[in-house]
Amino acid sequence: MSSIKCSAPGKIYLFGEHAVVYGKNAICCAVDLRTTVTATVNDGIIINSLQGETALDHTLYPYVSTVIETIEKFISFPGVKLDIISDIPVGSGIGSSAAVTIATLQAMNLLFKCKMDLETIAHLGHTIETKIQGAASPTDTYVSTMGGIIMIPAKRKLPTLDCKVIIGNTGKFASTKELVSHVSMLRNNHTDILDSILSTIGELSIDGEQFVSKKAYKTIGTLMDINQGLLDAIGVNNQELNSLIYAARNNNAIGSKLTGAGGGGCMFALAESKHVHKIADGITKAGGESIITNFTNEGVRIED
Ligand code: PMV
């Protein structure tokens, strides 16, 4: 076959971002917003998306270019054309870089018959993110590869949830590195207080696992709201996120919180189907871009 199309999902943190940096538990979930990569055998290298068409280009396409160089270490090939389309907002806590990395890795793995299994794809994806970002947790690439609702660090897959997920994007870029170092600085100055908050966030994930298993949506929502309060306490919330979070809560969200590093980027709400459009409208009126999606059990996959 001279062409393979693969897609990989984005993710949200149901609980536990930031605390996971300190070894605490977190629950991270694949959502059905996908990046799709079509890899076609070609004479040279072409990378194409709405961002533009180039040859290997570490400025415009750092993740995809590094994937190509990584695959070149496994197998020699004449060249490849990669066509990329994505539903995932870029750089906003939904795992866009992991999804493009994993979808490209798997499309090239299958096209050039490198025989990598999913564990290897997830591991290489993490290596590539670390190389580009300086430091990266393995969570995004693992969840994008495997799909599902995953208890971190144990990598235990939990039963999927059937409620709707509404993502609200503030449109404001925030640097994960800066927010992680903000929490670290706060912890240096107030160690006991921060350790206690981070441990409580970890406990929310441990409790959360039980309620996810029972699909106890109301309690999951309550725990999400508590987690959000604690994220606010450690200084990673902001006014834009808060407006969207309260817009969701005022329109019958089951629970709502930021996802990822915070300081901008995205929040999400869980919702019953009957409240989805009201919540999405509320988020839009509060100044965000809303995206309605679902949890997904499917990680990286071949598309027709
Ligand atoms: O904003 P994101 O999607 O890169 O998520 C960051 C999550 C943190 O826990 C804040 C950092 C990490 O590496 O786990």
Side-chain angles (χ1 to χ4, degrees), residues 100-137:
V100 76
T101 304
I102 297 302
T104 309
L105 270 171
Q106 181 67 317
M108 291 190 69
N109 172 41
L110 298 176
L111 185 66
F112 297 120
K113 301 188 173 50
C114 304
K115 299 201 171 100
M116 289 187 243
D117 61 12
L118 289 183
E119 288 290 342
T120 309
I121 296 278
H123 172 74
L124 277 181
H126 177 224
T127 311
I128 290 165
E129 280 214 321
T130 305
K131 192 167 171 192
I132 294 164
Q133 297 170 9
S137 99

mmCIF file of all heavy atoms in Angstrom, residues 100-137:
data_model
loop_
_atom_site.group_PDB
_atom_site.id
_atom_site.type_symbol
_atom_site.label_atom_id
_atom_site.label_comp_id
_atom_site.label_asym_id
_atom_site.label_seq_id
_atom_site.Cartn_x
_atom_site.Cartn_y
_atom_site.Cartn_z
ATOM 1 N N VAL A 100 -0.530 14.821 17.152
ATOM 2 C CA VAL A 100 0.118 14.861 15.827
ATOM 3 C C VAL A 100 1.355 13.955 15.813
ATOM 4 O O VAL A 100 1.638 13.285 14.812
ATOM 5 C CB VAL A 100 0.432 16.309 15.370
ATOM 6 C CG1 VAL A 100 1.642 16.905 16.067
ATOM 7 C CG2 VAL A 100 0.644 16.350 13.867
ATOM 8 N N THR A 101 2.050 13.893 16.940
ATOM 9 C CA THR A 101 3.237 13.030 17.037
ATOM 10 C C THR A 101 2.838 11.559 16.895
ATOM 11 O O THR A 101 3.428 10.805 16.113
ATOM 12 C CB THR A 101 3.959 13.257 18.392
ATOM 13 O OG1 THR A 101 4.272 14.641 18.507
ATOM 14 C CG2 THR A 101 5.214 12.433 18.528
ATOM 15 N N ILE A 102 1.814 11.160 17.648
ATOM 16 C CA ILE A 102 1.412 9.737 17.662
ATOM 17 C C ILE A 102 0.780 9.333 16.323
ATOM 18 O O ILE A 102 1.087 8.256 15.785
ATOM 19 C CB ILE A 102 0.451 9.467 18.846
ATOM 20 C CG1 ILE A 102 1.170 9.720 20.185
ATOM 21 C CG2 ILE A 102 -0.127 8.052 18.791
ATOM 22 C CD1 ILE A 102 2.420 8.892 20.435
ATOM 23 N N ALA A 103 -0.070 10.190 15.756
ATOM 24 C CA ALA A 103 -0.695 9.844 14.469
ATOM 25 C C ALA A 103 0.364 9.719 13.373
ATOM 26 O O ALA A 103 0.315 8.801 12.539
ATOM 27 C CB ALA A 103 -1.743 10.891 14.094
ATOM 28 N N THR A 104 1.361 10.623 13.390
ATOM 29 C CA THR A 104 2.424 10.565 12.371
ATOM 30 C C THR A 104 3.291 9.316 12.571
ATOM 31 O O THR A 104 3.625 8.613 11.612
ATOM 32 C CB THR A 104 3.313 11.835 12.431
ATOM 33 O OG1 THR A 104 2.475 12.985 12.395
ATOM 34 C CG2 THR A 104 4.277 11.892 11.266
ATOM 35 N N LEU A 105 3.652 9.049 13.832
ATOM 36 C CA LEU A 105 4.470 7.857 14.117
ATOM 37 C C LEU A 105 3.782 6.593 13.607
ATOM 38 O O LEU A 105 4.398 5.769 12.934
ATOM 39 C CB LEU A 105 4.684 7.723 15.632
ATOM 40 C CG LEU A 105 5.894 8.402 16.246
ATOM 41 C CD1 LEU A 105 5.808 8.346 17.771
ATOM 42 C CD2 LEU A 105 7.208 7.754 15.782
ATOM 43 N N GLN A 106 2.489 6.450 13.920
ATOM 44 C CA GLN A 106 1.791 5.214 13.544
ATOM 45 C C GLN A 106 1.592 5.128 12.024
ATOM 46 O O GLN A 106 1.758 4.053 11.441
ATOM 47 C CB GLN A 106 0.446 5.113 14.288
ATOM 48 C CG GLN A 106 -0.362 3.868 13.998
ATOM 49 C CD GLN A 106 0.295 2.573 14.506
ATOM 50 O OE1 GLN A 106 1.500 2.360 14.364
ATOM 51 N NE2 GLN A 106 -0.518 1.700 15.086
ATOM 52 N N ALA A 107 1.274 6.264 11.377
ATOM 53 C CA ALA A 107 1.078 6.234 9.921
ATOM 54 C C ALA A 107 2.386 5.812 9.240
ATOM 55 O O ALA A 107 2.386 4.965 8.337
ATOM 56 C CB ALA A 107 0.612 7.599 9.427
ATOM 57 N N MET A 108 3.520 6.365 9.694
ATOM 58 C CA MET A 108 4.806 6.013 9.072
ATOM 59 C C MET A 108 5.237 4.600 9.457
ATOM 60 O O MET A 108 5.801 3.862 8.635
ATOM 61 C CB MET A 108 5.881 7.039 9.444
ATOM 62 C CG MET A 108 5.607 8.394 8.794
ATOM 63 S SD MET A 108 6.977 9.534 8.976
ATOM 64 C CE MET A 108 8.219 8.771 7.923
ATOM 65 N N ASN A 109 4.961 4.202 10.695
ATOM 66 C CA ASN A 109 5.251 2.834 11.154
ATOM 67 C C ASN A 109 4.559 1.810 10.254
ATOM 68 O O ASN A 109 5.176 0.838 9.801
ATOM 69 C CB ASN A 109 4.758 2.717 12.604
ATOM 70 C CG ASN A 109 4.818 1.311 13.156
ATOM 71 O OD1 ASN A 109 5.774 0.582 12.917
ATOM 72 N ND2 ASN A 109 3.786 0.918 13.893
ATOM 73 N N LEU A 110 3.285 2.051 9.955
ATOM 74 C CA LEU A 110 2.525 1.096 9.133
ATOM 75 C C LEU A 110 2.935 1.195 7.667
ATOM 76 O O LEU A 110 3.095 0.176 6.990
ATOM 77 C CB LEU A 110 1.020 1.328 9.307
ATOM 78 C CG LEU A 110 0.493 1.107 10.740
ATOM 79 C CD1 LEU A 110 -0.981 1.456 10.839
ATOM 80 C CD2 LEU A 110 0.726 -0.333 11.208
ATOM 81 N N LEU A 111 3.128 2.436 7.182
ATOM 82 C CA LEU A 111 3.481 2.614 5.765
ATOM 83 C C LEU A 111 4.814 1.927 5.436
ATOM 84 O O LEU A 111 4.932 1.250 4.418
ATOM 85 C CB LEU A 111 3.553 4.115 5.444
ATOM 86 C CG LEU A 111 3.785 4.471 3.982
ATOM 87 C CD1 LEU A 111 2.597 4.051 3.118
ATOM 88 C CD2 LEU A 111 4.022 5.977 3.819
ATOM 89 N N PHE A 112 5.795 2.111 6.330
ATOM 90 C CA PHE A 112 7.133 1.567 6.053
ATOM 91 C C PHE A 112 7.412 0.262 6.804
ATOM 92 O O PHE A 112 8.559 -0.170 6.899
ATOM 93 C CB PHE A 112 8.201 2.631 6.346
ATOM 94 C CG PHE A 112 8.073 3.838 5.454
ATOM 95 C CD1 PHE A 112 7.845 5.102 5.988
ATOM 96 C CD2 PHE A 112 8.137 3.706 4.078
ATOM 97 C CE1 PHE A 112 7.699 6.207 5.160
ATOM 98 C CE2 PHE A 112 8.004 4.805 3.243
ATOM 99 C CZ PHE A 112 7.777 6.058 3.782
ATOM 100 N N LYS A 113 6.366 -0.325 7.347
ATOM 101 C CA LYS A 113 6.440 -1.652 7.992
ATOM 102 C C LYS A 113 7.586 -1.736 9.011
ATOM 103 O O LYS A 113 8.440 -2.628 8.961
ATOM 104 C CB LYS A 113 6.591 -2.747 6.935
ATOM 105 C CG LYS A 113 5.426 -2.737 5.947
ATOM 106 C CD LYS A 113 5.452 -3.920 5.007
ATOM 107 C CE LYS A 113 4.215 -3.999 4.131
ATOM 108 N NZ LYS A 113 3.830 -2.783 3.415
ATOM 109 N N CYS A 114 7.597 -0.788 9.956
ATOM 110 C CA CYS A 114 8.643 -0.777 10.999
ATOM 111 C C CYS A 114 8.335 -1.762 12.130
ATOM 112 O O CYS A 114 9.170 -1.991 12.996
ATOM 113 C CB CYS A 114 8.796 0.623 11.593
ATOM 114 S SG CYS A 114 9.150 1.872 10.377
ATOM 115 N N LYS A 115 7.125 -2.283 12.163
ATOM 116 C CA LYS A 115 6.708 -3.315 13.144
ATOM 117 C C LYS A 115 6.786 -2.836 14.596
ATOM 118 O O LYS A 115 7.135 -3.605 15.491
ATOM 119 C CB LYS A 115 7.540 -4.588 12.968
ATOM 120 C CG LYS A 115 7.392 -5.220 11.584
ATOM 121 C CD LYS A 115 7.799 -6.681 11.637
ATOM 122 C CE LYS A 115 7.471 -7.393 10.346
ATOM 123 N NZ LYS A 115 8.577 -7.562 9.439
ATOM 124 N N MET A 116 6.490 -1.557 14.831
ATOM 125 C CA MET A 116 6.473 -1.067 16.223
ATOM 126 C C MET A 116 5.117 -1.355 16.839
ATOM 127 O O MET A 116 4.086 -1.124 16.197
ATOM 128 C CB MET A 116 6.691 0.443 16.248
ATOM 129 C CG MET A 116 8.082 0.850 15.899
ATOM 130 S SD MET A 116 8.185 2.619 16.182
ATOM 131 C CE MET A 116 8.521 3.182 14.573
ATOM 132 N N ASP A 117 5.120 -1.836 18.113
ATOM 133 C CA ASP A 117 3.836 -2.022 18.803
ATOM 134 C C ASP A 117 3.422 -0.708 19.479
ATOM 135 O O ASP A 117 4.179 0.275 19.460
ATOM 136 C CB ASP A 117 3.904 -3.189 19.794
ATOM 137 C CG ASP A 117 4.938 -2.962 20.888
ATOM 138 O OD1 ASP A 117 5.440 -1.818 21.009
ATOM 139 O OD2 ASP A 117 5.242 -3.908 21.622
ATOM 140 N N LEU A 118 2.237 -0.707 20.095
ATOM 141 C CA LEU A 118 1.703 0.549 20.646
ATOM 142 C C LEU A 118 2.553 1.082 21.802
ATOM 143 O O LEU A 118 2.706 2.294 21.959
ATOM 144 C CB LEU A 118 0.253 0.377 21.083
ATOM 145 C CG LEU A 118 -0.775 0.213 19.953
ATOM 146 C CD1 LEU A 118 -2.190 0.122 20.515
ATOM 147 C CD2 LEU A 118 -0.694 1.368 18.946
ATOM 148 N N GLU A 119 3.093 0.158 22.628
ATOM 149 C CA GLU A 119 3.957 0.602 23.736
ATOM 150 C C GLU A 119 5.169 1.365 23.175
ATOM 151 O O GLU A 119 5.585 2.385 23.724
ATOM 152 C CB GLU A 119 4.448 -0.590 24.580
ATOM 153 C CG GLU A 119 3.372 -1.242 25.450
ATOM 154 C CD GLU A 119 2.920 -0.372 26.632
ATOM 155 O OE1 GLU A 119 3.638 0.574 27.008
ATOM 156 O OE2 GLU A 119 1.816 -0.647 27.162
ATOM 157 N N THR A 120 5.732 0.848 22.074
ATOM 158 C CA THR A 120 6.898 1.500 21.463
ATOM 159 C C THR A 120 6.503 2.859 20.883
ATOM 160 O O THR A 120 7.231 3.849 21.026
ATOM 161 C CB THR A 120 7.491 0.592 20.352
ATOM 162 O OG1 THR A 120 7.680 -0.690 20.906
ATOM 163 C CG2 THR A 120 8.792 1.136 19.807
ATOM 164 N N ILE A 121 5.326 2.914 20.246
ATOM 165 C CA ILE A 121 4.842 4.188 19.685
ATOM 166 C C ILE A 121 4.702 5.226 20.818
ATOM 167 O O ILE A 121 5.165 6.363 20.696
ATOM 168 C CB ILE A 121 3.468 3.990 18.984
ATOM 169 C CG1 ILE A 121 3.593 3.048 17.785
ATOM 170 C CG2 ILE A 121 2.806 5.320 18.625
ATOM 171 C CD1 ILE A 121 4.070 3.658 16.511
ATOM 172 N N ALA A 122 4.077 4.805 21.930
ATOM 173 C CA ALA A 122 3.871 5.735 23.059
ATOM 174 C C ALA A 122 5.228 6.195 23.612
ATOM 175 O O ALA A 122 5.427 7.384 23.900
ATOM 176 C CB ALA A 122 3.042 5.065 24.150
ATOM 177 N N HIS A 123 6.152 5.253 23.744
ATOM 178 C CA HIS A 123 7.468 5.572 24.294
ATOM 179 C C HIS A 123 8.234 6.541 23.364
ATOM 180 O O HIS A 123 8.793 7.543 23.821
ATOM 181 C CB HIS A 123 8.258 4.272 24.504
ATOM 182 C CG HIS A 123 9.678 4.514 24.872
ATOM 183 N ND1 HIS A 123 10.036 4.954 26.131
ATOM 184 C CD2 HIS A 123 10.824 4.425 24.154
ATOM 185 C CE1 HIS A 123 11.348 5.125 26.154
ATOM 186 N NE2 HIS A 123 11.841 4.813 24.971
ATOM 187 N N LEU A 124 8.223 6.237 22.058
ATOM 188 C CA LEU A 124 8.917 7.125 21.109
ATOM 189 C C LEU A 124 8.273 8.508 21.098
ATOM 190 O O LEU A 124 8.951 9.529 21.008
ATOM 191 C CB LEU A 124 8.855 6.542 19.695
ATOM 192 C CG LEU A 124 9.887 5.474 19.332
ATOM 193 C CD1 LEU A 124 9.676 5.029 17.896
ATOM 194 C CD2 LEU A 124 11.307 6.009 19.508
ATOM 195 N N GLY A 125 6.933 8.524 21.184
ATOM 196 C CA GLY A 125 6.202 9.794 21.216
ATOM 197 C C GLY A 125 6.662 10.649 22.390
ATOM 198 O O GLY A 125 6.904 11.852 22.255
ATOM 199 N N HIS A 126 6.825 10.007 23.535
ATOM 200 C CA HIS A 126 7.282 10.739 24.725
ATOM 201 C C HIS A 126 8.712 11.248 24.535
ATOM 202 O O HIS A 126 9.032 12.392 24.880
ATOM 203 C CB HIS A 126 7.175 9.839 25.968
ATOM 204 C CG HIS A 126 7.679 10.501 27.200
ATOM 205 N ND1 HIS A 126 8.489 9.872 28.109
ATOM 206 C CD2 HIS A 126 7.531 11.768 27.662
ATOM 207 C CE1 HIS A 126 8.807 10.715 29.072
ATOM 208 N NE2 HIS A 126 8.227 11.867 28.832
ATOM 209 N N THR A 127 9.567 10.406 23.954
ATOM 210 C CA THR A 127 10.964 10.812 23.704
ATOM 211 C C THR A 127 10.996 12.047 22.800
ATOM 212 O O THR A 127 11.761 12.990 23.028
ATOM 213 C CB THR A 127 11.727 9.646 23.013
ATOM 214 O OG1 THR A 127 11.483 8.471 23.747
ATOM 215 C CG2 THR A 127 13.215 9.903 22.943
ATOM 216 N N ILE A 128 10.131 12.034 21.769
ATOM 217 C CA ILE A 128 10.100 13.153 20.813
ATOM 218 C C ILE A 128 9.596 14.427 21.503
ATOM 219 O O ILE A 128 10.181 15.507 21.360
ATOM 220 C CB ILE A 128 9.232 12.771 19.591
ATOM 221 C CG1 ILE A 128 9.963 11.707 18.764
ATOM 222 C CG2 ILE A 128 8.872 13.992 18.745
ATOM 223 C CD1 ILE A 128 9.109 10.978 17.749
ATOM 224 N N GLU A 129 8.523 14.304 22.311
ATOM 225 C CA GLU A 129 8.012 15.496 23.026
ATOM 226 C C GLU A 129 9.071 16.058 23.977
ATOM 227 O O GLU A 129 9.230 17.268 24.093
ATOM 228 C CB GLU A 129 6.739 15.148 23.807
ATOM 229 C CG GLU A 129 5.503 15.105 22.939
ATOM 230 C CD GLU A 129 4.245 15.578 23.683
ATOM 231 O OE1 GLU A 129 4.083 15.258 24.880
ATOM 232 O OE2 GLU A 129 3.439 16.269 23.060
ATOM 233 N N THR A 130 9.791 15.152 24.644
ATOM 234 C CA THR A 130 10.824 15.592 25.597
ATOM 235 C C THR A 130 11.940 16.340 24.860
ATOM 236 O O THR A 130 12.412 17.388 25.312
ATOM 237 C CB THR A 130 11.415 14.380 26.352
ATOM 238 O OG1 THR A 130 10.337 13.679 26.952
ATOM 239 C CG2 THR A 130 12.400 14.797 27.423
ATOM 240 N N LYS A 131 12.332 15.800 23.692
ATOM 241 C CA LYS A 131 13.403 16.416 22.909
ATOM 242 C C LYS A 131 13.009 17.847 22.505
ATOM 243 O O LYS A 131 13.817 18.773 22.572
ATOM 244 C CB LYS A 131 13.635 15.561 21.662
ATOM 245 C CG LYS A 131 14.872 15.898 20.906
ATOM 246 C CD LYS A 131 15.175 14.797 19.883
ATOM 247 C CE LYS A 131 16.301 15.251 18.990
ATOM 248 N NZ LYS A 131 16.446 14.389 17.834
ATOM 249 N N ILE A 132 11.755 18.031 22.139
ATOM 250 C CA ILE A 132 11.328 19.349 21.645
ATOM 251 C C ILE A 132 11.021 20.315 22.791
ATOM 252 O O ILE A 132 11.375 21.484 22.749
ATOM 253 C CB ILE A 132 10.113 19.192 20.710
ATOM 254 C CG1 ILE A 132 10.551 18.426 19.461
ATOM 255 C CG2 ILE A 132 9.509 20.543 20.325
ATOM 256 C CD1 ILE A 132 9.437 17.878 18.642
ATOM 257 N N GLN A 133 10.365 19.800 23.835
ATOM 258 C CA GLN A 133 9.896 20.700 24.910
ATOM 259 C C GLN A 133 10.901 20.841 26.051
ATOM 260 O O GLN A 133 10.698 21.647 26.941
ATOM 261 C CB GLN A 133 8.568 20.173 25.487
ATOM 262 C CG GLN A 133 7.444 20.162 24.465
ATOM 263 C CD GLN A 133 6.197 19.425 24.950
ATOM 264 O OE1 GLN A 133 6.100 19.060 26.110
ATOM 265 N NE2 GLN A 133 5.259 19.199 24.067
ATOM 266 N N GLY A 134 11.950 20.025 26.061
ATOM 267 C CA GLY A 134 12.904 20.062 27.172
ATOM 268 C C GLY A 134 12.474 19.096 28.259
ATOM 269 O O GLY A 134 13.242 18.287 28.732
ATOM 270 N N ALA A 135 11.199 19.155 28.663
ATOM 271 C CA ALA A 135 10.650 18.199 29.634
ATOM 272 C C ALA A 135 9.200 17.968 29.247
ATOM 273 O O ALA A 135 8.523 18.889 28.807
ATOM 274 C CB ALA A 135 10.718 18.764 31.043
ATOM 275 N N ALA A 136 8.754 16.744 29.364
ATOM 276 C CA ALA A 136 7.346 16.450 29.053
ATOM 277 C C ALA A 136 6.941 15.228 29.853
ATOM 278 O O ALA A 136 7.749 14.314 30.045
ATOM 279 C CB ALA A 136 7.173 16.167 27.567
ATOM 280 N N SER A 137 5.700 15.226 30.345
ATOM 281 C CA SER A 137 5.256 14.019 31.044
ATOM 282 C C SER A 137 4.818 13.009 29.982
ATOM 283 O O SER A 137 4.399 13.395 28.885
ATOM 284 C CB SER A 137 4.133 14.355 32.023
ATOM 285 O OG SER A 137 2.898 14.040 31.460
#
